[in-house]
Amino acid sequence: MQDEAVTTHYAQVRQMQVGNTEVLQPFFGDDFRVKHGWQIDPFGQGTWSPTLMALSGFDAWVINRIGDLERDALKAERGLQFLWKGNEDLPDVDSQVLTHVLDTHYNATALLDWETPGNAAPPVTPANVQALAEAYVAEVIRRSKWYRYPALLAPFGDDFRFQNLSLIHI
């Protein structure tokens, strides 16, 4: 996942190439192909992004950081999953990729975030684990209404979360 704010197209392509030749091929062989990408923490994607992902062989990818107004507009039209068309000036190149935008960053719901200072989420105990699980399922169902397709990615965590195992009493 490159930072697109300061990275040249050459560096982005080179990073993909090194990842494939130095990491994937030695472990999985030459025929292995990554089909899904994850680019959730650069501060925005460039207009070249869907083209690079499509040319790299991705079928779909997940992004996160878009403007709040745009995210809200996409939610209203069930548009957090869409076919992002990249550079259409390249002849005979399919430069589009299915894109899934995370609905509320990559964090857990506040209901289950018991490590954030000042949050009222209760620690998990045998007495409340069923109720918390049901509430989480209800939250995922609520969020699913912002997407067109039946597959929903519901991340659980955030930066520096879930480090204190002593808060789980099961």
Side-chain angles (χ1 to χ4, degrees), residues 138-152:
E139 176 64 14
V140 169
I141 290 169
R142 183 183 76 82
R143 290 179 180 201
S144 73
K145 294 174 180 23
W146 299 326
Y147 296 91
R148 289 190 175 109
Y149 305 105
L152 173 67

Side-chain angles (χ1 to χ4, degrees), residues 25-124:
Q25 287 177 356
F27 290 103
F28 301 107
D30 293 339
D31 295 331
F32 184 79
R33 178 174 82 88
V34 176
K35 298 178 182 181
H36 304 96
W38 174 262
Q39 190 180 23
I40 62 162
D41 213 20
F43 290 86
Q45 286 74 31
T47 56
W48 184 256
S49 298
T51 302
L52 176 62
M53 295 301 137
L55 292 174
S56 297
F58 287 87
D59 294 337
W61 70 325
V62 177
I63 65 173
N64 178 41
R65 293 191 186 271
I66 65 172
D68 291 339
L69 293 176
E70 185 169 357
R71 187 183 316 267
D72 290 344
L74 289 171
K75 284 179 182 180
E77 61 187 45
R78 298 187 71 172
L80 288 175
Q81 290 163 323
F82 56 92
L83 197 57
W84 191 355
K85 295 179 181 178
N87 188 333
E88 295 180 352
D89 296 332
L90 299 173
D92 302 320
V93 172
D94 182 8
S95 63
Q96 59 188 10
V97 64
L98 179 62
T99 302
H100 180 106
V101 182
L102 295 180
D103 55 70
T104 54
H105 199 53
Y106 47 85
N107 54 342
T109 68
L111 160 77
L112 298 173
D113 187 358
W114 52 86
E115 282 194 357
T116 299
N119 196 354
V124 179

